[in-house]
Structures are given as structure tokens and as C-alpha cells.
């Protein structure tokens, strides 16, 4: 498994932003008002990632008095970390796309003002999920492996 690259996250976020912006342009009038804390649910997943990073990092680093991490457990945690950062990037794109549509109409559409607040909360939560996922992934790096992959010279 390779480490998450910033380009992957940026591509997913930009694609989500464009799709949501276009869909919102077509159907914003038909959508119900966004719950204010709709995006805050991402903070729960970020919290799980943070707790895992804090508990598994000493075990990965083989600190004295800690139990080693089972390989399958570490692989599952890495999968969660990669999925969290990607989901955070996609959701950040969703909130950015929604915000890009709402900002110009906020002065004339009353519902847009409240929806912008929900979008900002969602964007902050998505950024927290990206950060937590990347930190968990970093925390799970094997201390015996080099930081950068070696080039194969055949």
C-alpha cells in the first residue's frame, strides 16, 4: 500500500466541488434547508482516527511496555486512515461546491445565509477528518522502513 498523496485528495475534492456546484445550480430551490450541524458528524470519525493514532503510535514504535500491533489490525487501521482522508477530501469538495453557489446569492436568498453557516461547519469538519486521517496514516508507518521508497535498480 502506498501513502496517500496530496494530488489524490485534491483531485477528489475538486471533482466533488464541481459536481455539487452544478447540481446545486440545477436544484437548490427544491432542496430542504440544511441542518446547521450536518457536516459536524465528520468530527466523530476524526475523533476515532485521533484516538487510534494516539493508542497505536507507541505500539508501532515499539515503546517499552506496549504490546506490538498485529499486522491485520495495522492494515485495517491504515485502510481506515486512507478512507478517512479521502472521504474528508470529497466532503470538503462538497461543502466548497455548495458554498461557491451560495455566496453570490446569500444577499438575496434568506435560506442561503443559514446554509452558508452549515457549509462552513461542514468544511471545517471535513478538514479535521483529512488531518486526522493523514495523521493516523503517518502514525502507522513502520519505523524499520525508510521514509521514501527506494528506486529499484535492475
Amino acid at each position: 500500500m502506498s501513502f496517500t498523496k496530496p494530488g489524490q485528495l485534491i483531485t477528489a475534492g475538486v471533482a466533488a466541488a464541481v459536481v455539487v456546484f452544478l447540481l446545486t445550480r440545477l436544484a437548490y430551490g427544491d432542496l430542504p434547508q440544511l441542518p446547521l450541524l450536518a457536516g459536524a458528524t465528520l468530527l466523530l470519525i476524526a475523533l476515532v482516527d485521533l484516538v487510534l493514532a494516539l493508542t497505536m503510535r507507541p505500539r508501532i514504535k515499539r515503546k517499552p511496555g506496549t504490546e506490538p500491533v498485529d499486522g491485520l489490525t495495522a492494515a485495517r487501521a491504515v485502510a481506515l486512515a486512507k478512507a478517512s482522508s479521502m472521504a474528508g477530501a470529497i466532503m470538503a469538495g462538497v461543502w466548497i461546491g455548495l458554498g461557491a453557489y451560495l455566496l453570490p446569492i446569500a444577499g438575496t436568498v434568506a435560506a442561503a445565509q443559514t446554509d452558508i453557516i452549515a457549509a462552513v461547519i461542514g468544511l471545517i469538519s471535513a478538514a479535521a477528518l483529512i488531518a486526522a486521517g493523514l495523521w493516523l496514516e503517518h502514525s502507522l508507518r513502520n519505523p524499520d522502513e525508510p521514509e521514501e521508497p527506494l528506486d529499484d535498480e535492475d
Side-chain angles (χ1 to χ4, degrees), residues 47-61:
L47 182 62
V48 169
D49 286 356
L50 290 175
V51 168
L52 274 174
L54 290 172
T55 58
M56 293 188 79
R57 185 174 180 138
R59 295 172 60 193
I60 294 288
K61 300 245 184 225

Side-chain angles (χ1 to χ4, degrees), residues 24 27-36 38 95 98 102 111-112 114-115 118:
T24 305
Y28 183 69
D30 297 331
L31 296 175
Q33 186 172 357
L34 289 173
L36 192 59
W95 294 116
L98 184 63
L102 294 174
T114 306
D115 287 347

Side-chain angles (χ1 to χ4, degrees), residues 129-140:
L129 182 57
I130 294 168
L134 291 175
W135 189 48
L136 176 58
E137 185 178 339
H138 176 76
S139 297
L140 294 168

Side-chain angles (χ1 to χ4, degrees), residues 1-3 5 141 145-153:
M1 224 187 268
S2 63
F3 297 115
K5 295 174 179 56
R141 290 183 182 206
E145 292 180 6
E147 287 290 321
E148 295 296 322
L150 300 175
D151 292 332
D152 291 331
E153 296 181 24

Side-chain angles (χ1 to χ4, degrees), residues 9 17 26 28 30 39 53 58 64 68 76 81 83 87 96 101 109 114 137 148-149:
L9 300 178
L26 292 174
Y28 183 69
D30 297 331
R76 287 178 177 161
I96 289 170
Y101 175 77
V109 179
T114 306
E137 185 178 339
E148 295 296 322

Side-chain angles (χ1 to χ4, degrees), residues 15-42:
V18 169
V19 168
V20 168
F21 178 81
L22 294 174
L23 289 175
T24 305
R25 275 187 69 180
L26 292 174
Y28 183 69
D30 297 331
L31 296 175
Q33 186 172 357
L34 289 173
L36 192 59
L37 298 177
T41 56
L42 299 175

